[in-house]
Amino acid sequence: MKISRRAGIFAASTAILALSLTACGSASNSADSSADASAKSAEDFTPVTIKNIYGETTIDKAPERVATISWVNADTLLALDTVPVGMDIDAYGQNENNSTAWKDEALAKLDASIGSEKAPVQFATGDDPDYTAIAKTKPDVIFAPYSGLKKEQYEKLQEIAPVVGPIEPNYLTSWQDVTEAAGQMLGKEDEADALIEKVEGDLAKVGEENPVLKDTSFIAADLSAPDTAYVYSEGDTRPRFLSSLGMKQADYVQKNAAKDTFFFTVSPEKVNEWDSDIVFSSAVAGNTTKDIVKSQPLYGQIPAVKNDALALPGTDEATLAISAASPLSLEWSLDTVVPKIVKAAENAAAAK
């Protein structure tokens, strides 16, 4: 199955896939924060080689100017107190800055808010990276371990600077692997390990504080389109997120998951087979369960829907926080998304 860049992230309806791409930003002094962040480790930096699906990249010295491809990668650098010289705009779930709440907060803490002198340049990346804009930022390294870069794109970017390419194809690289790669690249391996431990601990704590989640079965899905439902399997970030809260993926997913991909489609006539305590599903922003069932009455036959155990992120930004998970977005989701999942689990338990 050929998976496009956009479908690789959301595999959802036209309303979700039609992303508006606009460019903004200034290159003036955006390197300063990156230089400051990497200077401390530059003297002690040990050369590293980071493998990707197209080969490997050797970093001989701590980079001072890092450009990023795809959103998770920029988030991860920011979480490690490093401002990219350039980064992709957030073209889904974005705010007025073509950014996100968690990214804006991190940039502000690093004195690099969008529109300020030290802000990163923002690239308008579509099916192809904006090679010209990336080159203008004069990066030492291009960081793209979470991405859908094709081999020819990877090779073209290498003409600009060394590329830390996709560790897994089609946006399947875990946030932990992205964080580890960032730590290696920046000479901040201890900080990266500590960050992973903290985020994983915060997610696990949710399960400890909400025992109803333990072994609650789930299906991660998308119900944006009335003609086709999508179910995400193990390789996707959504099931990984739910599992990290102590929940268990429903057997239905394992039995029906397509080989070598991270999602499969289900016709509305078959969603009554979703034998799962809860369903965590993206949908058209602002839609309620009633809206979804009104659009496609057959979705009302989903067992979790009948039990008021359908958890909806609610906004495109919240959907992005989980579907393109990063250390920053996951921490943000603890207050914005997790309570809806807990409520769905409680309703499922009450219905048993």
Side-chain angles (χ1 to χ4, degrees), residues 5-45:
R5 177 178 188 273
R6 294 171 182 175
I9 301 175
F10 302 108
S13 68
T14 301
I16 288 182
L17 298 179
L19 307 183
S20 174
L21 301 176
T22 55
C24 63
S26 170
S28 56
N29 293 309
S30 58
D32 294 349
S33 295
S34 292
D36 292 342
S38 61
K40 295 179 181 179
S41 59
E43 294 181 0
D44 300 325
F45 187 82

Side-chain angles (χ1 to χ4, degrees), residues 68-78 90 103 143 145-147 171 173-175 178-179 237 320 323-327 329:
T68 62
I69 303 292
S70 186
W71 317 313
V72 170
N73 303 309
D75 285 4
T76 305
L77 292 192
L78 292 169
D90 288 274
K103 188 173 292 178
F143 189 62
Y146 173 88
S147 68
Y171 301 89
T173 306
S174 70
W175 67 266
V178 174
T179 304
T237 56
L320 177 67
S323 61
S326 73
S329 72

Side-chain angles (χ1 to χ4, degrees), residues 142-158:
I142 297 170
F143 189 62
Y146 173 88
S147 68
L149 283 180
K150 300 174 183 177
K151 186 174 182 180
E152 58 268 26
Q153 295 171 329
Y154 170 79
E155 292 174 346
K156 190 169 182 178
L157 287 168
Q158 282 188 309

Side-chain angles (χ1 to χ4, degrees), residues 195-224:
L195 179 60
I196 292 170
E197 183 176 356
K198 180 185 184 305
V199 176
E200 288 183 338
D202 289 344
L203 293 172
K205 186 178 178 181
V206 172
E208 295 170 2
E209 295 177 343
N210 298 279
V212 70
L213 296 178
K214 182 174 176 57
D215 295 327
T216 292
S217 62
F218 70 83
I219 288 176
D222 182 274
L223 297 173
S224 299

Side-chain angles (χ1 to χ4, degrees), residues 44-110:
D44 300 325
F45 187 82
T46 300
V48 295
T49 298
I50 304 173
K51 295 183 178 180
N52 63 72
I53 61 174
Y54 301 125
E56 57 185 31
T57 300
T58 298
I59 311 295
D60 292 320
K61 62 180 181 178
E64 296 183 355
R65 303 177 65 86
V66 182
T68 62
I69 303 292
S70 186
W71 317 313
V72 170
N73 303 309
D75 285 4
T76 305
L77 292 192
L78 292 169
L80 291 172
D81 297 327
T82 300
V83 179
V85 291
M87 62 185 186
D88 281 359
I89 65 170
D90 288 274
Y92 173 87
Q94 75 272 36
N95 57 25
E96 64 276 6
N97 294 324
N98 285 321
S99 179
T100 58
W102 54 88
K103 188 173 292 178
D104 284 351
E105 182 179 355
L107 285 167
K109 288 180 179 178
L110 295 171

